[in-house]
Amino acid sequence: MNRFWSLLFLCVPVLGMGAYLASYFDVWPMQSTWLPENVSVGGRTIDRLFNLIHLICAVIFVSTTTVLAVALWIYRSSNRQRASHVHSNTRLEIIWSIIPAGILIFLALYQYESWANDKIRRPMENGKPKPPTALIIAKQFGWEVYYPGLDGKLGTKDDIYVENELYVPENEDVVLQLESRDVIHSLFVPVLRIKQDIVPGMTHYCWFRAENADPNKNYEIACTELCGRGHYRMKGWLHIVPREQFDQVMLELGTARISTKLPTKE
Ligand SMILES: [Cu+2]
């Protein structure tokens, strides 16, 4: 019976590793459970970081649970060995403090550039921060999307307004201005590896450069902040299209503009 428990503990790293590898290599029964498709330049770095952190966790997880299973096997009660009580081991404590600290410091430095590019260094245009391609106002429960009209400026009368449909040009730096009408929401676009909280009263910016996207596909935009009863249906669609198509869509939306009966930005 004692062996049963050691083997049961050994199942944890074995099954855990099996699931991890099957998911990573897209093998049955874990197909399509790894990361969703990525269509952003910055997303490549984020995926690399994610995979690295996952690998470090996997190594630590497998080694600690294997040691546990082996200890259970060797020191099972039928061996009738008396347990020896050990009080503190300074060298061990120093080792298990230094290794995690080293890993954390390494990760902090390794991700530095990616964080700076995604959160701090906003794309520039003619020496100035690039103006937003669209303003997104989150509300219970949807996304109001505003594009600058012909004057190229947001917050003016000719703004183009659509609900839950975000069009962006491919292979260009895109800046989004994010605001909220009511409570805290969070813009999540899995294929762009973007997630940004939106706090009422604050203006946030996020940016990305989309590549290798399918112009005929609708990519999901979700809210990842539990923002009320209708949170589950707070969904929008991202369309990544070539520049000419983007201009065409803007022209069509501008012509069919219905902003007179819709709220303009206050
Ligand atoms: Cu929300």
Side-chain angles (χ1 to χ4, degrees):
M1 190 61 191
N2 293 312
R3 288 193 171 146
F4 168 77
W5 293 111
S6 7
L7 289 174
L8 191 71
F9 266 92
L10 196 61
C11 281
V12 177
V14 170
L15 289 177
M17 253 345 252
Y20 166 44
L21 293 174
S23 178
Y24 187 81
F25 292 106
D26 218 20
V27 177
W28 183 89
M30 304 290 288
Q31 304 98 315
S32 315
T33 51
W34 200 243
L35 297 175
E37 173 189 5
N38 166 51
V39 294
S40 97
V41 177
R44 277 185 266 155
T45 322
I46 291 174
D47 285 1
R48 228 179 11 248
L49 271 165
F50 179 90
N51 287 330
L52 173 73
I53 293 170
H54 213 100
L55 187 68
I56 295 173
C57 292
V59 169
I60 295 170
F61 169 70
V62 169
S63 40
T64 48
T65 38
T66 308
V67 167
L68 182 65
V70 168
L72 279 170
W73 183 276
I74 296 176
Y75 303 109
R76 61 189 182 277
S77 63
S78 58
N79 268 1
R80 305 262 178 250
Q81 285 176 333
R82 279 185 71 84
S84 60
H85 292 271
V86 181
H87 285 277
S88 74
N89 182 327
T90 313
R91 194 198 290 170
L92 252 183
E93 284 170 24
I94 288 175
I95 291 174
W96 76 48
S97 302
I98 282 182
I99 291 177
I103 294 174
L104 289 178
I105 290 170
F106 163 73
L107 287 176
L109 297 174
Y110 187 70
Q111 61 79 50
Y112 204 73
E113 192 64 15
S114 169
W115 180 263
N117 285 337
D118 290 344
K119 296 285 179 189
I120 297 163
R121 289 183 205 133
R122 178 167 160 184
M124 304 292 277
E125 193 177 70
N126 307 324
K128 282 194 214 138
K130 183 162 182 165
T133 306
L135 159 71
I136 299 183
I137 304 187
K139 65 178 177 192
Q140 289 171 314
F141 298 96
W143 308 95
E144 294 175 8
V145 184
Y146 297 87
Y147 302 94
L150 281 178
D151 63 358
K153 283 189 195 124
L154 276 165
T156 53
K157 271 206 157 160
D158 71 339
D159 282 3
I160 299 164
Y161 171 88
V162 266
E163 187 124 330
N164 298 327
E165 303 286 338
L166 175 64
Y167 290 86
V168 296
E170 195 178 18
N171 296 320
E172 277 179 41
D173 289 326
V174 173
V175 178
L176 300 177
Q177 183 177 336
L178 308 171
E179 290 170 21
S180 168
R181 277 205 189 281
D182 33 51
V183 298
I184 302 178
H185 298 276
S186 181
L187 179 94
F188 181 35
V189 191
V191 292
L192 296 175
R193 307 292 189 262
I194 277 183
K195 191 185 263 182
Q196 173 64 55
D197 273 6
I198 311 174
V199 182
M202 287 179 77
T203 300
H204 309 268
Y205 295 94
C206 70
W207 50 85
F208 57 89
R209 180 186 272 259
E211 55 163 17
N212 304 326
D214 180 347
N216 299 314
K217 235 180 184 171
N218 301 332
Y219 297 104
E220 187 186 350
I221 300 173
C223 176
T224 39
E225 193 70 59
L226 188 53
C227 55
R229 216 177 252 205
H231 165 67
Y232 70 95
R233 63 182 153 86
M234 187 163 169
K235 213 178 202 183
W237 299 106
L238 168 72
H239 312 274
I240 303 166
V241 293
R243 173 42 90 168
E244 312 81 67
Q245 198 180 334
F246 176 78
D247 290 339
Q248 184 62 30
V249 171
M250 286 303 113
L251 200 69
E252 281 164 22
L253 287 174
T255 320
R257 185 157 58 100
I258 38 172
S259 63
T260 39
K261 72 174 172 81
L262 288 162
T264 47
K265 187 185 171 295
E266 288 132 32

